[in-house]
Amino acid sequence: MRDITALAQAIVSYHAGTFAGFAPEPVPTPTSQDPTYLAALQACSALGFVAHDAECLARAWQARALRTGSAQPDQWPDEPQDFGLQNLPRAQQFAACPQHLGLYAVMPDAQWVGRMARTGVPTVQLRFKSDDAHAIRTEINAAVAAVQGTGALLFINDHWRDAIEAGAYGIHLGQEDLDALTAQELQTLHRSGLRLGVSTHGYAEMVRADAVGPSYIAMGAVFPTTLKKMATAPQGVGRLGVYARLMRHYPQVAIGGISAEQFPAVLGTGVGSVAVVRALVNAHNPETSAAQLMALMR
């Protein structure tokens, strides 16, 4: 037990600075008695990772120790094989999209989509909220028309059947929406050729997303956001950096409360795209703001 406690303390001491600002979480019930696993489970909980992410990390720490013969408390695990991610080339994989999606504008309606596409924003998403099925179809068709001739890649949030019919470039799903798809629906979406982006909020969700081989992985919320109620705490730049290292073989999108001032720190993690909402829709001159943000991306 002393060895387990000492290893847990060593992990925390090496990595506390990276994950500062998170309150400790309760240690979940162990699913293994492996000493490295137990130490990592304690340490990751102390560093503020919620139960399912602490479990995922502890399993990865255990797998690496078995593979290398050493617990390596100073080295945060970031090898895909230790997390059970798919081998390359992936057996399950949606159609590819660019590795660097650049500035990613998440817009509330087709008019905004067209406005940003004509400004030169390379990637846009229609996040249209309505309970009216006809209004949803109309807005998606209008968004597809709005990006014609601009070169912008259009992703549709949630409404994947309508996105297929309208001929959109891709679809973006939240983790819950992805989990809700039946095997047949997932196969239909895969056969359509649409690119698939998936939102993730930590290690366990990234591992689940990898199982279907999405076109890109979105990671957040990086900072506090008022646009939607988040079930998870803001992840911060420290966590974003380790997520980006683990998922380095995917195109990555950082999302959630990111302002122009935070672009350098976010881009410093290695992500190839930054998604914004308020930085454009609340801007005094959205076109000028988009140009400034694209310059920061370069």
Side-chain angles (χ1 to χ4, degrees):
M1 181 59 73
R2 282 199 302 272
D3 290 344
I4 292 172
T5 301
L7 178 56
Q9 291 173 343
I11 292 172
V12 171
S13 67
Y14 276 116
H15 303 287
T18 301
F19 306 116
F22 291 91
E25 292 282 341
V27 181
T29 302
T31 59
S32 168
Q33 293 304 306
D34 176 84
T36 300
Y37 164 89
L38 290 171
L41 191 69
Q42 292 178 24
C44 294
S45 300
L47 290 169
F49 287 92
V50 295
H52 56 267
D53 287 337
E55 168 71 16
C56 190
L57 278 163
R59 285 292 181 183
W61 228 294
Q62 177 186 4
R64 186 181 64 186
L66 290 171
R67 178 172 58 83
T68 65
S70 171
Q72 303 174 54
D74 59 324
Q75 298 295 315
W76 195 260
D78 60 9
E79 285 301 320
Q81 61 186 314
D82 295 328
F83 288 82
L85 302 188
Q86 292 190 65
N87 293 325
L88 298 177
R90 300 182 185 96
Q92 299 294 325
Q93 178 66 64
F94 273 77
C97 68
Q99 187 70 21
H100 297 279
L101 287 163
L103 184 65
Y104 191 142
V106 181
M107 298 288 100
D109 57 39
Q111 183 178 6
W112 269 104
V113 164
R115 189 174 175 181
M116 290 298 100
R118 289 189 296 274
T119 304
V121 175
T123 309
V124 290
Q125 181 188 132
L126 174 67
R127 185 191 283 170
F128 181 68
K129 299 300 181 182
S130 174
D131 295 324
D132 184 333
H134 175 72
I136 290 168
R137 285 194 298 273
T138 299
E139 204 68 26
I140 289 173
N141 284 321
V144 170
V147 301
Q148 295 301 313
T150 66
L153 307 179
L154 172 65
F155 288 86
I156 304 298
N157 185 272
D158 289 346
H159 307 290
W160 61 272
R161 291 185 180 88
D162 295 317
I164 292 172
E165 292 181 9
Y169 179 81
I171 181 77
H172 182 93
L173 296 178
Q175 190 80 200
E176 300 82 3
D177 302 306
L178 178 64
D179 290 343
L181 292 179
T182 66
Q184 185 174 6
E185 288 173 331
L186 189 62
Q187 188 177 45
T188 298
L189 181 53
H190 189 277
R191 282 201 306 260
S192 74
L194 259 68
R195 284 75 176 172
L196 171 66
V198 177
S199 294
T200 65
H201 309 90
Y203 280 103
E205 292 191 359
M206 288 188 292
V207 170
R208 288 213 302 274
D210 170 75
V212 303
S215 308
Y216 73 76
I217 297 280
M219 301 176 294
V222 182
F223 301 109
T225 175
T226 59
L227 291 174
K228 58 190 294 190
K229 184 174 176 59
M230 302 300 297
T232 55
Q235 300 297 291
V237 174
R239 288 191 181 186
L240 179 64
V242 295
Y243 297 162
R245 291 205 306 272
L246 174 62
M247 307 307 288
R248 57 190 177 272
H249 299 305
Y250 279 99
Q252 302 164 353
V253 179
I255 188 169
I258 302 171
S259 65
E261 294 74 20
Q262 295 157 330
F263 264 54
V266 169
L267 292 171
T269 66
V271 298
S273 178
V274 177
V276 293
V277 186
R278 288 177 300 168
L280 294 175
V281 297
N282 291 351
H284 176 68
N285 188 320
E287 285 79 7
T288 299
S289 294
Q292 292 170 342
L293 294 177
M294 286 188 284
L296 290 174
M297 293 293 307
R298 291 191 290 271

